Amino acid sequence: MKRAAMHRAPSSSHSPDGTDGLAQRLRRNRLTRRDTLWLFGAAVSATSATALQGCAVSPVTGERILVGLSPAQERQVDAQQSPQQFSQDLGAIQDDAVNRYVAGVGQRLQAGVQRSDMPYSYRVLNANYVNAYTFPAGAMGVTRGIMTELKDESELAALLGHELGHVNARHAAQRQGQAMVAQVAVVGLSVAAGDSGWAPLVGIGGQIGASAMLANYSRDHEREADALGQDYLVKAGYPAQGMTGLHQLLIDGHERQPSVLETMFASHPMSTERRDTARQRAETVYASSAKAAPQRERFMDSTSSLRRIKPTIDACKNGETAMAKKEMAQAQTLFGQALQHTPRDYAANLRMAQTLQAQGKAEDASRFVQTARDVYPQEAQAMKLGATLKLGLRDPAGAYADLQAYDRVLPGDAGVLFLKGVALEGQGRREAAAQHYAGYLRVTQQGQAAQFSASRLKSWGYLK
């Protein structure tokens, strides 16, 4: 598709099926609940695949490997994309002490890695599902959902060591190009279904799906990361059994009651074979490490603030599962339980707002969005959700103001560029809206948001 030129062409084309009705309702400032849900899903950040860079030498094995990014591109991807993904996981927890503690464990492990020059960073995220993932240059996220399941510092070190293994073997670099394509595809499946009942999952599915794709390595890659992580673990002074304990924790979690989301977007596929391999190494190669302390007491003391809100995290996790099953009343009850325990929890307020939006209760949802913004003004997702709610409440100017605030906090989200075009069109500012739709199409030409943008530009005569 040619770049959208900002001059008028003969206005003879019509928008694609499914966009005319939305455009008419937008013109009358009469968006439906289904429209606002669609807009929230369609505004998922656009990403583009990076061309494969050919072969490089593995820092671990010395063998030639096919990589997706050069070292400079790895750093660039981390700098540009990790803030967007971490925000989709509702941002780092607002607990500096816990974040410093996790970073300290990671830094202790770094002494044994092969790529010591990478800009490693660590944060615990407000996400409730059980996972951890890394970007190619070592920007790492650990969900609060897994932090409250770990038993001691050696298991945390095993988790971080495994992710460090992916960075040092350049697995993340090999996967990243595919991940950027797959991230869009995962969310697109929910949006393309055209079922407004699925729309609340878009915010969750985009969040979990993207991080799962970032971590969805081959079994050989997982085995290599296990081996490297266990080696880093022991070199840092922890017992090798920490890796065995981590694997057992994840296996038990999946066997006990795998949630819909964990099943749909499972990364790091677990197996007893990987646990048994870790145990065998712990009992043979690393047998002497058995004397090392797992540092349970230090872990429990350092994470006590998170464990105090475990009922909130678990209720949110169950609420997200209910959302995925389209059981909105049950989800609302569960998020209500989370808020009873922790009224000013950012994730619980945001998820409650999404659940109410799905039920057509936009004004009630807006109150929870405002609480979320008050609680965590540096995090952007509540601003985007608030903007789509205001579009439904016939306040496109307010929506645009929220999107401007989003851009100040987290610039570079193409989905917000698209939503700004919608908000401007809702105000009757066609020229400005056209500029934003054209800008969005310069970023991506895939997906329903791009289809809608192109249809508007064609109907206004800006595109042939």
Side-chain angles (χ1 to χ4, degrees):
M1 184 174 179
K2 294 181 180 179
R3 177 172 170 166
M6 292 315 301
H7 61 270
R8 289 184 180 274
S11 181
S12 59
S13 53
H14 299 282
S15 57
D17 291 342
T19 61
D20 279 327
L22 173 58
Q24 291 171 8
R25 291 189 293 276
L26 183 59
R27 190 161 51 247
R28 298 194 307 270
N29 206 7
R30 293 289 189 273
L31 294 182
T32 67
R33 173 182 64 97
R34 187 185 181 102
D35 291 333
T36 60
L37 291 170
W38 180 87
L39 287 168
F40 185 76
V44 173
S45 296
T47 54
S48 58
T50 302
L52 293 177
Q53 297 300 310
C55 291
V57 175
S58 167
V60 174
T61 66
E63 298 176 354
R64 303 287 288 179
I65 57 173
L66 181 69
V67 298
L69 302 172
S70 69
Q73 286 175 317
E74 291 177 87
R75 291 178 173 85
Q76 184 179 11
V77 164
D78 279 36
Q80 292 180 349
Q81 295 195 23
S82 64
Q84 304 289 339
Q85 176 58 40
F86 294 146
S87 180
Q88 286 188 36
D89 275 321
L90 308 187
I93 61 171
Q94 296 168 281
D95 192 325
D96 291 340
V98 173
N99 281 313
R100 283 196 303 271
Y101 167 66
V102 172
V105 174
Q107 289 159 8
R108 181 174 173 180
L109 294 166
Q110 285 172 216
V113 303
Q114 290 81 8
R115 305 178 75 191
S116 58
D117 61 329
M118 300 306 285
Y120 299 104
S121 61
Y122 310 84
R123 75 275 300 141
V124 180
L125 301 165
N126 275 310
N128 302 294
Y129 66 100
V130 174
N131 204 4
Y133 56 89
T134 185
F135 280 79
M140 201 173 299
V142 179
T143 69
R144 68 180 190 172
I146 198 169
M147 284 295 296
T148 56
E149 300 295 330
L150 298 169
K151 296 190 295 295
D152 56 46
E153 190 171 298
S154 73
E155 291 185 356
L156 172 61
L159 179 67
L160 299 180
H162 179 94
E163 297 303 328
L164 286 168
H166 284 307
V167 174
N168 281 270
R170 304 203 69 196
H171 298 156
Q174 295 178 63
R175 286 289 301 162
Q176 182 65 21
Q178 299 170 56
M180 287 189 286
V181 175
Q183 175 178 338
V184 176
V186 166
V187 180
L189 290 175
S190 298
V191 178
D195 182 348
S196 61
W198 276 98
L201 180 57
V202 170
I204 305 170
Q207 159 202 343
I208 297 178
S211 63
M213 290 299 176
L214 284 166
N216 188 18
Y217 306 102
S218 70
R219 290 194 178 276
D220 285 343
H221 283 176
E222 293 287 11
R223 292 185 185 104
E224 186 175 16
D226 284 347
L228 288 168
Q230 199 166 25
D231 189 56
Y232 304 151
L233 183 73
V234 173
K235 286 179 178 176
Y238 296 102
Q241 284 289 354
M243 185 65 75
T244 309
L246 173 66
H247 282 311
Q248 189 61 55
L249 178 156
L250 294 172
I251 290 169
D252 290 346
H254 279 270
E255 289 179 348
R256 189 165 55 243
Q257 189 178 7
S259 74
V260 170
L261 295 177
E262 288 168 337
T263 301
M264 287 173 63
F265 300 114
S267 61
H268 298 306
M270 295 309 303
S271 71
T272 56
E273 176 262 330
R274 288 175 58 201
R275 177 204 58 196
D276 294 344
T277 298
R279 178 180 294 152
Q280 189 270 337
R281 286 198 193 104
E283 293 173 352
T284 56
V285 179
Y286 301 119
S288 61
S289 75
K291 301 174 185 177
Q295 300 296 349
R296 175 174 170 80
E297 185 175 350
R298 184 164 66 193
F299 175 82
M300 298 299 277
D301 288 344
S302 299
T303 61
S304 60
S305 58
L306 265 184
R307 289 184 294 102
R308 275 197 296 271
I309 63 167
K310 190 176 190 304
T312 299
I313 296 170
D314 290 344
C316 284
K317 190 186 305 178
N318 293 332
E320 289 168 354
T321 300
M323 288 176 73
K325 294 178 179 178
K326 309 182 191 180
E327 297 171 352
M328 297 305 165
Q330 176 66 8
Q332 183 176 343
T333 298
L334 289 162
F335 293 130
Q337 292 173 4
L339 290 167
Q340 280 185 336
H341 191 275
T342 315
R344 291 180 64 78
D345 183 72
Y346 178 73
N349 276 282
L350 192 64
R351 293 292 183 239
M352 177 65 90
Q354 285 181 281
T355 302
L356 292 169
Q357 181 194 29
Q359 297 176 77
K361 302 174 183 178
E363 291 184 358
D364 291 340
S366 294
R367 286 194 287 272
F368 285 97
V369 166
Q370 188 57 54
T371 299
R373 291 185 66 171
D374 292 343
V375 167
Y376 200 168
Q378 302 85 8
E379 218 301 295
Q381 294 307 307
M383 300 171 190
K384 183 189 290 185
L385 180 58
T388 59
L389 287 167
K390 285 179 180 176
L391 287 172
L393 291 169
R394 305 176 187 176
D395 182 14
Y400 186 81
D402 283 352
L403 295 168
Q404 288 281 75
Y406 183 106
D407 261 346
R408 288 191 292 271
V409 171
L410 188 65
D413 185 335
V416 167
L417 186 63
F418 166 71
L419 282 178
K420 280 185 175 181
V422 174
L424 288 164
E425 184 177 354
Q427 297 174 67
R429 298 168 61 186
R430 178 181 293 186
E431 182 70 23
Q435 294 281 356
H436 283 74
Y437 289 146
Y440 182 76
L441 290 173
R442 287 194 289 271
V443 175
T444 180
Q445 297 174 19
Q446 304 297 317
Q448 292 187 329
Q451 181 186 35
F452 181 84
S453 298
S455 76
R456 302 310 293 139
L457 292 173
K458 288 177 182 177
S459 68
W460 294 337
Y462 292 111
L463 278 180
K464 294 183 179 180

